[in-house]
Amino acid sequence: RWGRTYESFSSDPQIVSSLALAYFQGQNDHGIAVTAKHFAGDGGVLYGTGEGDNLIDRGDVRMSHEEFMLLHVEPYRVLVDAGLKIVMASFSSLNGVKMTENTYYLTEVLKGDLGFTGFIVSDWEAISGLSGDSFDENVILAVNAGVDMMMEPSRFAETVNAIISGVESGAISEDRVNDAVRRILTVKFDMGLFEDPYLEDLSCEIEELGSEKYRAIAKELVSKSMVLLKNEDDILPLKSGQKIYVMGPAMNDIGIQCGGWTMSWQGYADMGSKMNPGTTILEGLMEYATEYGLEIITDEGRASEADVVILAISEVPYAEFLGDSKDLSLTGSLGSEGNSDAISAAKALGKPVVSLIIAGRHVLISQYINNWDGVVMCYLPGTEGDGIASVLVGESDFTGKLPMPWYKRISDIGHDNPVLLFEKGFGLSYQ
């Protein structure tokens, strides 16, 4: 139910470690200083403990040290061993202590036991949320806990003054400041920023953002990340000669495909001209229609002619705490407008239905899935909707597996023995 679920790799720390390491190595090999976030436990907070009015985001993790190290710290150990140089402290808490002021885990565990030699940066304006009686006290708490750099764009002057006055009063030692400065400068030296501060000598193989070459790579990533959940009577791949009725709020909307953190913090639905060039699901199907002998129908008046109905339903774009969900429902407050009507209309047609779910997490579908012959989890594919179409027509096979469990009911979340709709690792293929 967490609004940052789509920012995460998996609920399995081994999968997180493996994918995070690959991501780190790919970025690092191209001269990018990677920041691992959010240290630590951000994805393990309890429902109902969120900061302020948040349901979940910036909440509290409640578990033993041993559990915490295994489930949440282990991926950072893997990255530190690989040479990670920047870590962002989490907004969240562990057993009531904010991570941004948690001296034990920032200094003793991360910098001590794990041997992290880089620097720790706070999250966006996180200092004001700490336990001190004033902003100056919060700065002191963060610095002494091990935070080396603070992301305080609105109160940067106050932050500087708080550090200076903290040193003058003895609340912050000069050694702590020197350590922070040394860590930051070392990373900048290692990145070559003192030899080439304006990146004038930087070589780059990419000449154009959004080029055909890199859109093709994005399309491939889309096709490999989808998960086939149901395929009754081999309804997929689509067959030559079929008429396909495409419907639903997500069938022709790049903004929905991209979700949050796209052009704006919360993203946009119905992006129109606000979005960079891309392909919607409908446009992708139309691109493949001629080659694969399909007729694509969008006219509701011709829906009865269809051999197969493709139902594209979705969540609205969201980010962070505004994506925290009470019910995980496709027809609730975070479901796209029109989902309910589209689900009902597809059922009323009495045709075989393939449901495409465009969402940042595993939404609840138990009450609908028996009415669908095929179900595909598309996650948030971004701009290249033709990557979805390519697999639906059989140009390539499904290879994706679920990175976390898919629950049947909201009441099963957090239980030791939940009733699952699909296990972690589930995923069908045409083979």
Side-chain angles (χ1 to χ4, degrees):
R1 291 173 288 188
W2 185 38
R4 289 186 187 266
T5 299
Y6 65 76
E7 296 185 37
S8 308
F9 284 120
S10 172
S11 58
D12 183 332
Q14 290 185 322
I15 295 175
V16 175
S17 297
S18 174
L19 293 178
L21 179 61
Y23 187 90
F24 166 78
Q25 290 171 332
Q27 298 280 343
N28 196 57
D29 289 348
H30 284 75
I32 296 170
V34 179
T35 302
K37 50 194 285 192
H38 304 85
F39 185 88
D42 204 21
V45 303
L46 291 179
Y47 180 86
T49 66
E51 183 179 77
D53 295 329
N54 304 346
L55 296 175
I56 304 167
D57 199 48
R58 309 183 186 186
D60 192 29
V61 181
R62 295 171 186 170
M63 61 178 61
S64 68
H65 170 73
E66 291 74 21
E67 278 185 295
F68 191 71
M69 292 295 293
L70 176 65
L71 296 177
H72 295 287
V73 175
E74 183 58 29
Y76 290 90
R77 184 193 305 277
V78 171
L79 293 180
V80 169
D81 288 346
L84 176 74
K85 295 301 181 184
I86 311 172
V87 167
M88 180 180 286
S90 178
F91 270 119
S92 58
S93 304
L94 172 62
N95 298 322
V97 179
K98 288 281 188 183
M99 289 305 301
T100 307
E101 61 179 274
N102 196 317
T103 307
Y104 177 73
Y105 282 97
L106 295 185
T107 296
E108 296 190 36
V109 172
L110 180 58
K111 291 180 175 179
D113 297 343
L114 271 61
F116 176 65
T117 59
F119 69 83
I120 298 172
V121 60
S122 64
D123 208 331
W124 178 275
E125 299 184 344
I127 302 304
S128 60
L130 303 185
S131 65
D133 292 329
S134 66
F135 184 79
D136 283 15
E137 284 190 23
N138 287 342
V139 171
I140 292 168
L141 285 170
V143 171
N144 287 338
V147 174
D148 304 296
M149 179 184 288
M150 282 165 240
M151 200 197 310
E152 291 293 327
S154 301
R155 306 179 74 171
F156 59 90
E158 289 179 71
T159 305
V160 171
N161 291 334
I163 294 171
I164 293 172
S165 62
V167 172
E168 290 174 343
S169 70
I172 299 173
S173 71
E174 285 194 38
D175 286 345
R176 171 77 269 269
V177 175
N178 289 337
D179 174 60
V181 173
R182 188 180 301 111
R183 288 171 177 272
I184 294 166
L185 290 180
T186 299
V187 171
K188 291 185 176 185
F189 273 116
D190 290 345
M191 293 300 296
L193 293 180
F194 285 88
E195 291 79 11
D196 182 24
Y198 298 105
L199 305 180
E200 294 169 324
D201 300 328
L202 184 68
S203 62
C204 184
E205 66 190 55
I206 301 170
E207 298 178 354
E208 177 191 0
L209 291 176
S211 68
E212 289 298 320
K213 174 182 177 182
Y214 289 96
R215 285 184 61 188
I217 294 173
K219 175 184 174 181
E220 180 183 359
L221 292 172
V222 171
S223 69
K224 289 182 175 180
S225 63
M226 298 190 301
V227 181
L228 180 61
L229 300 175
K230 185 177 181 180
N231 196 23
E232 291 292 319
D233 299 322
D234 293 326
I235 191 171
L236 292 174
L238 302 172
K239 316 297 188 295
S240 179
Q242 286 182 328
K243 295 180 179 181
I244 313 297
Y245 177 51
V246 186
M247 63 179 297
M251 73 171 183
N252 198 33
D253 193 318
I254 286 181
I256 283 176
Q257 291 174 196
C258 289
W261 294 114
T262 306
M263 305 297 285
S264 78
W265 176 37
Q266 293 297 317
Y268 297 95
D270 190 23
M271 293 288 294
S273 61
K274 296 173 185 162
M275 172 52 68
N276 291 329
T279 306
T280 67
I281 296 169
L282 177 61
E283 289 168 341
L285 286 167
M286 294 179 76
E287 281 182 14
Y288 280 95
T290 300
E291 181 182 354
Y292 284 84
L294 305 173
E295 181 179 351
I296 304 300
I297 300 170
T298 58
D299 181 356
E300 185 179 354
R302 295 186 57 203
S304 61
E305 301 175 25
D307 300 299
V308 176
V309 174
I310 289 183
L311 171 65
I313 48 181
S314 57
E315 290 187 296
V316 298
Y318 57 76
E320 295 190 65
F321 47 86
L322 292 176
D324 287 354
S325 174
K326 289 183 178 180
D327 53 26
L328 275 180
S329 172
L330 271 171
T331 56
S333 60
L334 291 171
S336 291
E337 184 178 355
N339 277 352
S340 182
D341 289 344
I343 291 169
S344 297
K347 180 180 179 181
L349 287 171
K351 305 280 185 177
V353 175
V354 175
S355 179
L356 307 181
I357 301 171
I358 294 83
R361 54 192 160 201
H362 299 162
V363 290
L364 298 185
I365 57 174
S366 297
Q367 66 190 101
Y368 310 116
I369 193 169
N370 290 336
N371 298 321
W372 298 335
D373 302 88
V375 181
V376 180
M377 182 57 181
C378 303
Y379 295 100
L380 296 173
T383 59
E384 308 312 309
D386 52 348
I388 295 174
S390 69
V391 186
L392 297 182
V393 300
E395 179 180 77
S396 55
D397 202 351
F398 285 92
T399 59
K401 307 295 181 184
L402 297 181
M404 55 191 72
W406 197 309
Y407 293 97
K408 270 191 175 182
R409 304 170 303 212
I410 203 79
S411 58
D412 287 310
I413 298 175
H415 282 213
D416 291 334
N417 296 298
V419 178
L420 298 177
L421 191 61
F422 301 106
E423 300 275 353
K424 179 194 72 184
F426 181 83
L428 303 173
S429 73
Y430 295 145
Q431 302 303 316

